[in-house]
């Protein structure tokens, strides 16, 4: 199989994969849960966890 034939086959397979991905997305669009942003149990701010809390680190430095 020469390189041009391989490239053509790869393009065909990619096109099929994109079609399948689009169809699967339509079928399962409503069933996937989105993850919430992490919320710190130390200070209550969103975007980090207690182990990486800037308030906790600031207190530890002083």
């Amino acid at each position: 199989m020469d390189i041009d034939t391989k490239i053509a086959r790869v393009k065909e397979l990619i096109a099929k994969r994109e079609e399948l991905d689009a169809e699967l997305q339509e079928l399962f669009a409503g069933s996937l849960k989105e993850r919430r942003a992490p919320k710190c149990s130390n200070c209550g701010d969103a975007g980090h966890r207690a182990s990486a809390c800037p308030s906790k680190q600031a207190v530890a430095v002083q």
Side-chain angles (χ1 to χ4, degrees), residues 4-34:
D4 293 329
T5 307
K6 287 181 180 181
I7 291 172
R9 181 66 180 145
V10 167
K11 287 181 180 181
E12 289 174 16
L13 291 172
I14 290 171
K16 284 183 184 180
R17 181 178 181 183
E18 289 174 352
E19 290 175 22
L20 288 171
D21 287 346
E23 187 174 346
L24 288 169
Q25 180 65 30
E26 288 177 22
L27 291 171
F28 294 110
S31 65
L32 297 176
K33 291 184 178 180
E34 290 185 25

Side-chain angles (χ1 to χ4, degrees), residues 35-61:
R35 298 186 89 169
R36 290 186 282 170
K39 184 176 179 184
C40 180
S41 60
N42 188 37
C43 68
D45 290 343
H48 63 274
R49 301 246 185 243
S51 60
C53 182
S55 301
K56 181 178 154 185
Q57 293 171 355
V59 171
V61 171

